[in-house]
PDB file of all heavy atoms in Angstrom:
ATOM      1  N   LYS A 832     -36.707  14.661  48.387  1.00 97.00           N
ATOM      2  CA  LYS A 832     -37.172  14.528  49.785  1.00 97.00           C
ATOM      3  C   LYS A 832     -37.287  13.037  50.188  1.00 97.00           C
ATOM      4  O   LYS A 832     -37.410  12.648  51.337  1.00 97.00           O
ATOM      5  CB  LYS A 832     -38.566  15.173  49.884  1.00 97.00           C
ATOM      6  CG  LYS A 832     -38.607  16.669  49.685  1.00 97.00           C
ATOM      7  CD  LYS A 832     -40.025  17.229  49.600  1.00 97.00           C
ATOM      8  CE  LYS A 832     -40.068  18.622  49.203  1.00 97.00           C
ATOM      9  NZ  LYS A 832     -41.482  19.158  49.114  1.00 97.00           N
ATOM     10  N   LYS A 833     -37.250  12.145  49.110  1.00 97.00           N
ATOM     11  CA  LYS A 833     -37.361  10.708  49.337  1.00 97.00           C
ATOM     12  C   LYS A 833     -36.065   9.957  49.191  1.00 97.00           C
ATOM     13  O   LYS A 833     -35.927   8.825  49.589  1.00 97.00           O
ATOM     14  CB  LYS A 833     -38.438  10.121  48.300  1.00 97.00           C
ATOM     15  CG  LYS A 833     -39.727  10.825  48.337  1.00 97.00           C
ATOM     16  CD  LYS A 833     -40.585  10.136  49.385  1.00 97.00           C
ATOM     17  CE  LYS A 833     -42.083  10.628  49.399  1.00 97.00           C
ATOM     18  NZ  LYS A 833     -42.852  10.028  50.489  1.00 97.00           N
ATOM     19  N   SER A 834     -35.143  10.425  48.301  1.00 98.00           N
ATOM     20  CA  SER A 834     -34.083   9.664  47.844  1.00 98.00           C
ATOM     21  C   SER A 834     -32.759  10.251  48.130  1.00 98.00           C
ATOM     22  O   SER A 834     -32.510  11.423  48.032  1.00 98.00           O
ATOM     23  CB  SER A 834     -34.235   9.461  46.330  1.00 98.00           C
ATOM     24  OG  SER A 834     -33.279   8.574  45.813  1.00 98.00           O
ATOM     25  N   ASP A 835     -31.724   9.399  48.389  1.00 97.00           N
ATOM     26  CA  ASP A 835     -30.373   9.843  48.640  1.00 97.00           C
ATOM     27  C   ASP A 835     -29.648  10.261  47.359  1.00 97.00           C
ATOM     28  O   ASP A 835     -28.859  11.088  47.379  1.00 97.00           O
ATOM     29  CB  ASP A 835     -29.555   8.694  49.369  1.00 97.00           C
ATOM     30  CG  ASP A 835     -30.183   8.309  50.678  1.00 97.00           C
ATOM     31  OD1 ASP A 835     -30.821   9.171  51.304  1.00 97.00           O
ATOM     32  OD2 ASP A 835     -29.962   7.117  51.047  1.00 97.00           O
ATOM     33  N   ARG A 836     -29.908   9.496  46.288  1.00 97.00           N
ATOM     34  CA  ARG A 836     -29.285   9.790  45.054  1.00 97.00           C
ATOM     35  C   ARG A 836     -30.257   9.659  43.852  1.00 97.00           C
ATOM     36  O   ARG A 836     -31.071   8.713  43.845  1.00 97.00           O
ATOM     37  CB  ARG A 836     -28.027   8.875  44.871  1.00 97.00           C
ATOM     38  CG  ARG A 836     -27.299   9.009  43.585  1.00 97.00           C
ATOM     39  CD  ARG A 836     -26.097   8.132  43.532  1.00 97.00           C
ATOM     40  NE  ARG A 836     -25.454   8.196  42.158  1.00 97.00           N
ATOM     41  CZ  ARG A 836     -25.199   7.238  41.464  1.00 97.00           C
ATOM     42  NH1 ARG A 836     -25.476   5.988  41.842  1.00 97.00           N
ATOM     43  NH2 ARG A 836     -24.652   7.325  40.282  1.00 97.00           N
ATOM     44  N   ILE A 837     -30.151  10.556  42.947  1.00 98.00           N
ATOM     45  CA  ILE A 837     -30.997  10.558  41.755  1.00 98.00           C
ATOM     46  C   ILE A 837     -30.215  10.561  40.475  1.00 98.00           C
ATOM     47  O   ILE A 837     -29.308  11.452  40.332  1.00 98.00           O
ATOM     48  CB  ILE A 837     -32.031  11.694  41.748  1.00 98.00           C
ATOM     49  CG1 ILE A 837     -32.964  11.592  42.971  1.00 98.00           C
ATOM     50  CG2 ILE A 837     -32.877  11.735  40.484  1.00 98.00           C
ATOM     51  CD1 ILE A 837     -33.961  12.814  43.073  1.00 98.00           C
ATOM     52  N   VAL A 838     -30.480   9.757  39.505  1.00 98.00           N
ATOM     53  CA  VAL A 838     -29.854   9.829  38.108  1.00 98.00           C
ATOM     54  C   VAL A 838     -30.979   9.750  37.143  1.00 98.00           C
ATOM     55  O   VAL A 838     -31.865   9.038  37.193  1.00 98.00           O
ATOM     56  CB  VAL A 838     -28.936   8.546  37.922  1.00 98.00           C
ATOM     57  CG1 VAL A 838     -28.436   8.440  36.492  1.00 98.00           C
ATOM     58  CG2 VAL A 838     -27.728   8.531  38.927  1.00 98.00           C
ATOM     59  N   ILE A 839     -30.815  10.728  36.200  1.00 98.00           N
ATOM     60  CA  ILE A 839     -31.815  10.782  35.084  1.00 98.00           C
ATOM     61  C   ILE A 839     -31.160  10.221  33.812  1.00 98.00           C
ATOM     62  O   ILE A 839     -30.090  10.588  33.413  1.00 98.00           O
ATOM     63  CB  ILE A 839     -32.221  12.249  34.834  1.00 98.00           C
ATOM     64  CG1 ILE A 839     -32.748  12.969  36.082  1.00 98.00           C
ATOM     65  CG2 ILE A 839     -33.240  12.318  33.723  1.00 98.00           C
ATOM     66  CD1 ILE A 839     -33.074  14.395  35.899  1.00 98.00           C
ATOM     67  N   SER A 840     -31.904   9.278  33.174  1.00 97.00           N
ATOM     68  CA  SER A 840     -31.460   8.691  31.941  1.00 97.00           C
ATOM     69  C   SER A 840     -32.181   9.486  30.827  1.00 97.00           C
ATOM     70  O   SER A 840     -33.387   9.573  30.827  1.00 97.00           O
ATOM     71  CB  SER A 840     -31.872   7.212  31.824  1.00 97.00           C
ATOM     72  OG  SER A 840     -31.337   6.542  32.886  1.00 97.00           O
ATOM     73  N   THR A 841     -31.356   9.973  29.851  1.00 97.00           N
ATOM     74  CA  THR A 841     -31.883  10.848  28.807  1.00 97.00           C
ATOM     75  C   THR A 841     -31.178  10.585  27.446  1.00 97.00           C
ATOM     76  O   THR A 841     -30.028  10.071  27.450  1.00 97.00           O
ATOM     77  CB  THR A 841     -31.725  12.294  29.199  1.00 97.00           C
ATOM     78  OG1 THR A 841     -32.081  13.171  28.090  1.00 97.00           O
ATOM     79  CG2 THR A 841     -30.359  12.593  29.661  1.00 97.00           C
ATOM     80  N   ASN A 842     -31.779  11.061  26.343  1.00 95.00           N
ATOM     81  CA  ASN A 842     -31.127  10.978  25.067  1.00 95.00           C
ATOM     82  C   ASN A 842     -30.284  12.221  24.807  1.00 95.00           C
ATOM     83  O   ASN A 842     -29.611  12.295  23.790  1.00 95.00           O
ATOM     84  CB  ASN A 842     -32.045  10.721  23.930  1.00 95.00           C
ATOM     85  CG  ASN A 842     -33.142  11.791  23.803  1.00 95.00           C
ATOM     86  OD1 ASN A 842     -32.940  12.927  23.973  1.00 95.00           O
ATOM     87  ND2 ASN A 842     -34.351  11.334  23.434  1.00 95.00           N
ATOM     88  N   GLY A 843     -30.325  13.232  25.694  1.00 94.00           N
ATOM     89  CA  GLY A 843     -29.457  14.369  25.624  1.00 94.00           C
ATOM     90  C   GLY A 843     -29.956  15.423  24.694  1.00 94.00           C
ATOM     91  O   GLY A 843     -29.152  16.406  24.428  1.00 94.00           O
ATOM     92  N   PHE A 844     -31.103  15.247  24.114  1.00 93.00           N
ATOM     93  CA  PHE A 844     -31.638  16.191  22.956  1.00 93.00           C
ATOM     94  C   PHE A 844     -31.932  17.596  23.578  1.00 93.00           C
ATOM     95  O   PHE A 844     -31.628  18.617  22.962  1.00 93.00           O
ATOM     96  CB  PHE A 844     -32.772  15.592  22.316  1.00 93.00           C
ATOM     97  CG  PHE A 844     -33.276  16.328  21.160  1.00 93.00           C
ATOM     98  CD1 PHE A 844     -32.648  16.160  19.892  1.00 93.00           C
ATOM     99  CD2 PHE A 844     -34.318  17.190  21.196  1.00 93.00           C
ATOM    100  CE1 PHE A 844     -33.115  16.863  18.755  1.00 93.00           C
ATOM    101  CE2 PHE A 844     -34.774  17.999  20.121  1.00 93.00           C
ATOM    102  CZ  PHE A 844     -34.134  17.741  18.876  1.00 93.00           C
ATOM    103  N   PHE A 845     -32.594  17.584  24.738  1.00 95.00           N
ATOM    104  CA  PHE A 845     -33.000  18.837  25.305  1.00 95.00           C
ATOM    105  C   PHE A 845     -31.909  19.540  26.159  1.00 95.00           C
ATOM    106  O   PHE A 845     -32.050  19.639  27.382  1.00 95.00           O
ATOM    107  CB  PHE A 845     -34.341  18.574  26.096  1.00 95.00           C
ATOM    108  CG  PHE A 845     -35.442  18.111  25.322  1.00 95.00           C
ATOM    109  CD1 PHE A 845     -35.789  16.796  25.254  1.00 95.00           C
ATOM    110  CD2 PHE A 845     -36.255  19.005  24.572  1.00 95.00           C
ATOM    111  CE1 PHE A 845     -36.888  16.314  24.440  1.00 95.00           C
ATOM    112  CE2 PHE A 845     -37.311  18.569  23.831  1.00 95.00           C
ATOM    113  CZ  PHE A 845     -37.646  17.198  23.781  1.00 95.00           C
ATOM    114  N   THR A 846     -30.908  19.947  25.502  1.00 95.00           N
ATOM    115  CA  THR A 846     -29.728  20.452  26.183  1.00 95.00           C
ATOM    116  C   THR A 846     -30.033  21.535  27.201  1.00 95.00           C
ATOM    117  O   THR A 846     -29.609  21.484  28.350  1.00 95.00           O
ATOM    118  CB  THR A 846     -28.610  20.987  25.117  1.00 95.00           C
ATOM    119  OG1 THR A 846     -28.392  19.953  24.232  1.00 95.00           O
ATOM    120  CG2 THR A 846     -27.456  21.434  25.849  1.00 95.00           C
ATOM    121  N   ASP A 847     -30.810  22.533  26.832  1.00 96.00           N
ATOM    122  CA  ASP A 847     -31.173  23.688  27.692  1.00 96.00           C
ATOM    123  C   ASP A 847     -31.848  23.233  28.971  1.00 96.00           C
ATOM    124  O   ASP A 847     -31.552  23.700  30.102  1.00 96.00           O
ATOM    125  CB  ASP A 847     -32.017  24.701  26.959  1.00 96.00           C
ATOM    126  CG  ASP A 847     -31.325  25.396  25.815  1.00 96.00           C
ATOM    127  OD1 ASP A 847     -30.025  25.236  25.749  1.00 96.00           O
ATOM    128  OD2 ASP A 847     -31.975  26.007  24.993  1.00 96.00           O
ATOM    129  N   ARG A 848     -32.749  22.280  28.814  1.00 97.00           N
ATOM    130  CA  ARG A 848     -33.493  21.757  30.048  1.00 97.00           C
ATOM    131  C   ARG A 848     -32.520  20.935  30.930  1.00 97.00           C
ATOM    132  O   ARG A 848     -32.657  20.965  32.178  1.00 97.00           O
ATOM    133  CB  ARG A 848     -34.637  20.912  29.554  1.00 97.00           C
ATOM    134  CG  ARG A 848     -35.650  21.657  28.723  1.00 97.00           C
ATOM    135  CD  ARG A 848     -36.882  20.709  28.330  1.00 97.00           C
ATOM    136  NE  ARG A 848     -37.665  21.386  27.308  1.00 97.00           N
ATOM    137  CZ  ARG A 848     -38.926  20.927  26.957  1.00 97.00           C
ATOM    138  NH1 ARG A 848     -39.383  19.823  27.462  1.00 97.00           N
ATOM    139  NH2 ARG A 848     -39.576  21.539  25.924  1.00 97.00           N
ATOM    140  N   ILE A 849     -31.622  20.219  30.286  1.00 97.00           N
ATOM    141  CA  ILE A 849     -30.673  19.366  31.117  1.00 97.00           C
ATOM    142  C   ILE A 849     -29.746  20.311  31.872  1.00 97.00           C
ATOM    143  O   ILE A 849     -29.499  20.135  33.100  1.00 97.00           O
ATOM    144  CB  ILE A 849     -29.899  18.413  30.169  1.00 97.00           C
ATOM    145  CG1 ILE A 849     -30.881  17.428  29.512  1.00 97.00           C
ATOM    146  CG2 ILE A 849     -28.809  17.700  30.940  1.00 97.00           C
ATOM    147  CD1 ILE A 849     -30.214  16.597  28.322  1.00 97.00           C
ATOM    148  N   ILE A 850     -29.229  21.332  31.207  1.00 97.00           N
ATOM    149  CA  ILE A 850     -28.326  22.325  31.877  1.00 97.00           C
ATOM    150  C   ILE A 850     -29.025  23.014  33.014  1.00 97.00           C
ATOM    151  O   ILE A 850     -28.470  23.258  34.055  1.00 97.00           O
ATOM    152  CB  ILE A 850     -27.750  23.286  30.854  1.00 97.00           C
ATOM    153  CG1 ILE A 850     -26.936  22.598  29.758  1.00 97.00           C
ATOM    154  CG2 ILE A 850     -26.933  24.305  31.507  1.00 97.00           C
ATOM    155  CD1 ILE A 850     -25.787  21.711  30.200  1.00 97.00           C
ATOM    156  N   ALA A 851     -30.270  23.346  32.743  1.00 97.00           N
ATOM    157  CA  ALA A 851     -31.063  24.092  33.772  1.00 97.00           C
ATOM    158  C   ALA A 851     -31.259  23.238  34.978  1.00 97.00           C
ATOM    159  O   ALA A 851     -31.162  23.699  36.142  1.00 97.00           O
ATOM    160  CB  ALA A 851     -32.431  24.633  33.184  1.00 97.00           C
ATOM    161  N   MET A 852     -31.534  21.958  34.742  1.00 98.00           N
ATOM    162  CA  MET A 852     -31.692  20.940  35.822  1.00 98.00           C
ATOM    163  C   MET A 852     -30.414  20.830  36.684  1.00 98.00           C
ATOM    164  O   MET A 852     -30.434  20.806  37.845  1.00 98.00           O
ATOM    165  CB  MET A 852     -32.053  19.578  35.209  1.00 98.00           C
ATOM    166  CG  MET A 852     -32.283  18.494  36.260  1.00 98.00           C
ATOM    167  SD  MET A 852     -33.713  18.596  37.198  1.00 98.00           S
ATOM    168  CE  MET A 852     -34.944  18.110  35.986  1.00 98.00           C
ATOM    169  N   ALA A 853     -29.270  20.786  35.913  1.00 97.00           N
ATOM    170  CA  ALA A 853     -28.004  20.574  36.636  1.00 97.00           C
ATOM    171  C   ALA A 853     -27.582  21.802  37.466  1.00 97.00           C
ATOM    172  O   ALA A 853     -27.031  21.714  38.472  1.00 97.00           O
ATOM    173  CB  ALA A 853     -26.881  20.256  35.569  1.00 97.00           C
ATOM    174  N   LYS A 854     -28.018  23.020  36.905  1.00 97.00           N
ATOM    175  CA  LYS A 854     -27.686  24.226  37.692  1.00 97.00           C
ATOM    176  C   LYS A 854     -28.547  24.309  38.964  1.00 97.00           C
ATOM    177  O   LYS A 854     -28.055  24.671  40.070  1.00 97.00           O
ATOM    178  CB  LYS A 854     -28.070  25.451  36.840  1.00 97.00           C
ATOM    179  CG  LYS A 854     -26.964  25.719  35.757  1.00 97.00           C
ATOM    180  CD  LYS A 854     -27.397  26.901  34.998  1.00 97.00           C
ATOM    181  CE  LYS A 854     -26.338  27.252  33.913  1.00 97.00           C
ATOM    182  NZ  LYS A 854     -26.717  28.371  33.065  1.00 97.00           N
ATOM    183  N   ARG A 855     -29.800  23.784  38.895  1.00 97.00           N
ATOM    184  CA  ARG A 855     -30.650  23.833  40.112  1.00 97.00           C
ATOM    185  C   ARG A 855     -30.248  22.712  41.079  1.00 97.00           C
ATOM    186  O   ARG A 855     -30.357  22.823  42.313  1.00 97.00           O
ATOM    187  CB  ARG A 855     -32.086  23.668  39.668  1.00 97.00           C
ATOM    188  CG  ARG A 855     -33.061  23.817  40.907  1.00 97.00           C
ATOM    189  CD  ARG A 855     -34.543  23.876  40.416  1.00 97.00           C
ATOM    190  NE  ARG A 855     -35.416  23.811  41.550  1.00 97.00           N
ATOM    191  CZ  ARG A 855     -36.680  23.601  41.430  1.00 97.00           C
ATOM    192  NH1 ARG A 855     -37.296  23.708  40.259  1.00 97.00           N
ATOM    193  NH2 ARG A 855     -37.492  23.543  42.490  1.00 97.00           N
ATOM    194  N   PHE A 856     -29.866  21.518  40.514  1.00 98.00           N
ATOM    195  CA  PHE A 856     -29.574  20.363  41.307  1.00 98.00           C
ATOM    196  C   PHE A 856     -28.169  19.832  40.989  1.00 98.00           C
ATOM    197  O   PHE A 856     -27.982  18.884  40.260  1.00 98.00           O
ATOM    198  CB  PHE A 856     -30.626  19.268  41.153  1.00 98.00           C
ATOM    199  CG  PHE A 856     -32.011  19.613  41.392  1.00 98.00           C
ATOM    200  CD1 PHE A 856     -32.892  19.983  40.358  1.00 98.00           C
ATOM    201  CD2 PHE A 856     -32.508  19.729  42.727  1.00 98.00           C
ATOM    202  CE1 PHE A 856     -34.273  20.301  40.590  1.00 98.00           C
ATOM    203  CE2 PHE A 856     -33.838  20.116  42.944  1.00 98.00           C
ATOM    204  CZ  PHE A 856     -34.685  20.420  41.937  1.00 98.00           C
ATOM    205  N   PRO A 857     -27.145  20.516  41.489  1.00 96.00           N
ATOM    206  CA  PRO A 857     -25.751  20.141  41.013  1.00 96.00           C
ATOM    207  C   PRO A 857     -25.335  18.723  41.467  1.00 96.00           C
ATOM    208  O   PRO A 857     -24.241  18.255  40.887  1.00 96.00           O
ATOM    209  CB  PRO A 857     -24.887  21.218  41.768  1.00 96.00           C
ATOM    210  CG  PRO A 857     -25.792  21.738  42.839  1.00 96.00           C
ATOM    211  CD  PRO A 857     -27.203  21.613  42.405  1.00 96.00           C
ATOM    212  N   ASN A 858     -25.979  18.090  42.386  1.00 96.00           N
ATOM    213  CA  ASN A 858     -25.592  16.717  42.732  1.00 96.00           C
ATOM    214  C   ASN A 858     -26.283  15.630  41.936  1.00 96.00           C
ATOM    215  O   ASN A 858     -26.060  14.443  42.150  1.00 96.00           O
ATOM    216  CB  ASN A 858     -25.815  16.494  44.233  1.00 96.00           C
ATOM    217  CG  ASN A 858     -24.948  17.304  45.154  1.00 96.00           C
ATOM    218  OD1 ASN A 858     -23.779  17.566  44.801  1.00 96.00           O
ATOM    219  ND2 ASN A 858     -25.453  17.834  46.213  1.00 96.00           N
ATOM    220  N   ILE A 859     -27.151  16.032  41.024  1.00 97.00           N
ATOM    221  CA  ILE A 859     -27.876  15.072  40.265  1.00 97.00           C
ATOM    222  C   ILE A 859     -27.064  14.320  39.292  1.00 97.00           C
ATOM    223  O   ILE A 859     -26.031  14.856  38.838  1.00 97.00           O
ATOM    224  CB  ILE A 859     -29.144  15.752  39.508  1.00 97.00           C
ATOM    225  CG1 ILE A 859     -30.192  14.658  39.193  1.00 97.00           C
ATOM    226  CG2 ILE A 859     -28.641  16.446  38.286  1.00 97.00           C
ATOM    227  CD1 ILE A 859     -31.539  15.229  38.975  1.00 97.00           C
TER     228      ILE A 859
END
């Protein structure tokens, strides 16, 4: 609601959570 573009920096360990995030927010 605030930002034009969002990038998350992660170590990639929580694969299931990352995939779920990408499914809900495909432009992230």
Side-chain angles (χ1 to χ4, degrees):
K832 298 173 186 175
K833 303 276 185 180
S834 185
D835 299 334
R836 180 175 172 234
I837 298 174
V838 172
I839 305 177
S840 301
T841 171
N842 59 38
F844 186 83
F845 296 97
T846 303
D847 293 346
R848 299 184 191 187
I849 296 168
I850 299 302
M852 179 72 75
K854 284 179 179 175
R855 184 172 171 187
F856 303 101
N858 292 323
I859 201 158

